[in-house]
Amino acid sequence: TLATGLYISFVLPVFVVRLGLWVLSNTIYRLNVRGKHHVPEQGGALLVANHTSFLDALVIIASIDRPVRFIMYQGIYDIPWIKPLAKMMGAIPVTPGGGPREVVSSLRSASEAIKNGDLVCIFAEGQITRTGQMLPFRRGFERIMKGVEAPIVPVYIDQIWGSIFSFANGKFFWKWPKRVPYPITIAFGNSLASTANAYELRSAIQELGTHAYTERISPDDLLHRQFFHIARWNPLQMCVADGRSGKLSYFKTLVGSIILARKLKAQLGPEEPVGVLLPQGVGGVLVNVALTLMGKVPVNLNYTSSNDSIAAAARQCGMKHVITAHAFLEQLPVVPPTEDVIYLEDVMKTVGPRDHRRGALSAFFMPVRRLERELGAPANRSCDDLATIIFSSGSEGEPKGIMLTHFNIISNVDAGIQVFPHRKWDTLVGILPFFHSFGYTATLWAVLTQKLSAVYHPNPLEATGGIVVQRVVE
C-alpha cells in the first residue's frame, strides 16, 4: 500500500509530465539535442543555462533522462498552477528581495542537493533576456559550488528566442509562432571544474551558442531564396521606394528582379564578379537581387573614391562588366572601370508587356531553383558561396576586397535584427550606400529577408532628404 501510494503521488505524475513533454517536443516543437553525453549519468552536477523564455526549464527536462531540480524565483514558484508542478520536480525557490539570509539558505539547499547526487540547474543571468542577447552572469552559482566537488555543465538553448514564450516583439505570449513545428536546439558542453568563475562559464556557453548557430542555417539557405519566400507570401506589402522610382511592393520587386536578370543574362559573360555603380535606391536593389539570383557576385563600387581606386577594385576582381545609369554618371565625375558598361536605362527600354507577363508568372509559379538554372546559375549552390565583395576605402593604399558569403550576410542580419527593436513591416530610411558593409547588410538584405520596408535617399548629407522620404512613404 505504501509503495502504491508513493507511485501514485510521485512517480506517476513525473511520468505523465515527461510523457507530455516528449509529445510536445516531437509534434509542436522539434527538439534537437547536442552533447547529451556531457551530462553525467549519475552523481551530482550543476547545469548552467542561458535564459531566453518561460519554456527553458521544460526544454531542459525534455532533453535528458535524469530529473532536474531548478533554482526558481519565488514569485514564479508561488503561481498557483506552477507550484504543484514545481514541488513535484523538486524546485528550489529563491527570494532575491527577501534578504541575504534567505538567499544564502536557498543556495545552500542547492549545494546539499548536488552533494546528494541530484542534478541542479540555474539560469545564471537571473532573468529572461529582453533582447535575445545573453545578459551578464550573476555569481550565485559560485556560491552554490563553494566546497562542492561536482562538475558544472554549460547549456545553451538556441532558436527559442522569437517563440511565443520569449519576449520577442516586446511581449510575452500574445503572438503567433513563427512556424510549426518550431525547431529548438539545446547543446550541452564539456563540463567545467567546480571552481570555474562567471567569465569562464559565460564564455563556454557563448561558444556553444556559436556552434549551435552555425548548424541552424541550412546549406541551401541563400539570400535571394529567403526574399522569394517572403515576397510570395506577402505580395502586396510595400518593399522598397525612392523619390525617383516611387514605391514597389514585394511582388513588383520580385518581378522586376526576374525581368532584369533575364535581360542581363544576354549581356553578361561567364565571369562571376559584376560591378555595380549605382546609388542606393530601387534600381540598385533590383540589380543586386537579379545578379544574386543569376549566381553572379555583385560588387558595389565605391563611387565616392577616386577613379584609380575604382579601377583597382575592378582589377582585383577580374571584373569585365559594370552596370550603371546615365543619370547617375551625369551627377558624379566617375569613370566606369571597364569598357563593357551596361546602362540600366537602356536595358529597361527593351522591357515590354510580354516580359512583364512572363516575369509575373515566374514570380508566382516557377520554383526558385528552376529559375536559377534558367538564368545560368551554378548547380549545388550553398550558403558558403560568395555573395559579394566589399572594398575598403583605400585610405591606406590600394582598396582591399572583403569576400562575404551568403552565410556571412545572413548571420549578420539575424544578429542585427535581434538587437535592434523593430516590428514587422517597419520602414527603414536607406541613406547608406550599398558599397558600405552596413548599407549592404541592413538596408538591402535585412529589408528583403526580414519583412521590412525601405525608403532610399541617394545623398545622406542632404537635409531635405527627410522631406523626400516622408513624401514617398505618404
Side-chain angles (χ1 to χ4, degrees):
T1 303
L2 178 61
T4 302
L6 289 174
Y7 179 82
I8 294 174
S9 62
F10 180 73
V11 178
L12 184 59
V14 172
F15 171 78
V16 172
V17 170
R18 295 187 66 85
L19 177 62
L21 291 176
W22 183 89
V23 171
L24 285 175
S25 63
N26 287 274
T27 54
I28 298 177
Y29 298 94
R30 283 288 187 270
L31 190 58
N32 179 22
V33 183
R34 300 299 179 96
K36 184 178 177 180
H37 60 280
H38 293 304
V39 180
E41 295 182 359
Q42 56 185 354
L46 179 67
L47 307 180
V48 182
N50 63 316
H51 204 7
T52 53
S53 78
F54 281 110
L55 203 63
D56 294 343
L58 299 180
V59 169
I60 293 174
I61 293 172
S63 63
I64 56 179
D65 299 328
R66 293 186 61 183
V68 182
R69 301 184 63 182
F70 289 88
I71 309 290
M72 184 178 291
Y73 173 59
Q74 185 75 52
I76 302 295
Y77 183 91
D78 289 334
I79 295 176
W81 62 273
I82 289 181
K83 193 168 186 176
L85 178 63
K87 277 187 174 182
M88 182 177 63
M89 303 305 293
I92 303 170
V94 59
T95 309
R101 183 173 299 177
E102 292 187 19
V103 174
V104 170
S105 175
S106 298
L107 298 181
R108 188 179 294 119
S109 298
S111 301
E112 292 300 321
I114 296 174
K115 290 178 181 178
N116 294 332
D118 293 340
L119 276 183
V120 175
C121 180
I122 185 172
F123 299 104
E125 296 162 272
Q127 60 180 308
I128 296 175
T129 177
R130 297 305 196 266
T131 64
Q133 302 298 307
M134 196 182 303
L135 303 173
F137 278 14
R138 301 181 181 180
R139 298 185 177 274
F141 77 92
E142 295 180 359
R143 177 63 182 83
I144 293 174
M145 298 305 292
K146 188 175 182 180
V148 178
E149 292 296 328
I152 300 176
V153 181
V155 184
Y156 187 84
I157 304 172
D158 185 46
Q159 292 182 276
I160 205 168
W161 173 260
S163 70
I164 295 175
F165 300 97
S166 69
F167 197 69
N169 301 330
K171 56 187 175 183
F172 289 111
F173 305 117
W174 302 110
K175 50 185 175 289
W176 290 101
K178 289 184 176 180
R179 65 183 71 174
V180 176
Y182 193 92
I184 300 174
T185 297
I186 179 168
F188 299 91
N190 291 315
S191 59
L192 304 179
S194 59
T195 56
N197 58 36
Y199 173 78
E200 294 170 333
L201 185 55
R202 192 170 187 274
S203 297
I205 295 176
Q206 284 180 318
E207 186 174 350
L208 286 175
T210 301
H211 292 304
Y213 182 84
T214 57
E215 296 177 358
R216 183 196 305 180
I217 296 180
S218 169
D220 62 350
D221 199 4
L222 304 180
L223 290 164
H224 62 279
R225 291 177 185 171
Q226 291 189 5
F227 167 60
F228 257 68
H229 177 76
I230 292 176
R232 281 174 166 169
W233 283 95
N234 307 274
L236 301 181
Q237 289 289 341
M238 174 185 157
C239 182
V240 293
D242 62 29
R244 185 183 183 91
S245 304
K247 300 179 186 179
L248 287 186
S249 67
Y250 264 83
F251 182 72
K252 288 183 178 180
T253 304
L254 178 58
V255 172
S257 301
I258 294 172
I259 293 172
L260 186 57
R262 284 180 170 141
K263 294 296 181 180
L264 291 175
K265 181 185 177 184
Q267 301 187 51
L268 296 177
E271 72 281 355
E272 284 191 351
V274 178
V276 180
L277 201 55
L278 292 168
Q280 62 277 16
V282 172
V285 171
L286 296 181
V287 169
N288 275 273
V289 175
L291 292 175
T292 305
L293 177 61
M294 298 169 66
K296 302 294 185 182
V297 178
V299 182
N300 291 274
L301 297 169
N302 185 351
Y303 48 79
T304 66
S305 61
S306 66
N307 289 322
D308 290 339
S309 295
I310 295 176
R315 185 177 64 254
Q316 292 180 49
C317 292
M319 188 183 300
K320 295 183 179 179
H321 293 83
V322 171
I323 302 173
T324 186
H326 291 291
F328 176 66
L329 295 182
E330 291 172 358
Q331 300 295 323
L332 289 177
V334 178
V335 178
T338 67
E339 294 182 0
D340 294 322
V341 181
I342 300 173
Y343 293 98
L344 202 53
E345 298 97 332
D346 297 341
V347 174
M348 298 311 296
K349 288 178 182 177
T350 65
V351 177
R354 183 175 181 275
D355 297 308
H356 284 286
R357 289 194 298 269
R358 188 182 176 200
L361 289 173
S362 298
F364 261 125
F365 302 112
M366 184 176 287
V368 62
R369 288 171 177 79
R370 180 178 175 184
L371 184 59
E372 290 173 2
R373 291 195 300 270
E374 177 192 315
L375 296 171
N380 302 320
R381 301 178 70 179
S382 78
C383 62
D384 293 323
D385 290 347
L386 192 61
T388 189
I389 301 175
I390 302 289
F391 276 90
S392 63
S393 62
S395 58
E396 299 179 354
E398 194 170 80
K400 302 173 182 64
I402 297 90
M403 303 170 71
L404 299 175
T405 65
H406 286 259
F407 182 87
N408 293 144
I409 304 299
I410 291 171
S411 58
N412 280 330
V413 167
D414 286 349
I417 214 71
Q418 188 169 306
V419 172
F420 295 104
H422 70 284
R423 293 173 299 178
K424 187 168 64 173
W425 309 124
D426 276 354
T427 301
L428 277 68
V429 178
I431 58 174
L432 288 177
F434 294 153
F435 62 73
H436 189 283
S437 58
F438 191 73
Y440 185 81
T441 301
T443 62
L444 176 59
W445 286 113
V447 168
L448 299 179
T449 62
Q450 298 295 323
K451 297 183 180 179
L452 299 172
S453 304
V455 177
Y456 299 100
H457 187 68
N459 190 350
L461 302 179
E462 288 182 359
T464 56
I467 300 175
V468 175
V469 168
Q470 183 179 0
R471 287 175 179 171
V472 172
V473 172
E474 291 174 351

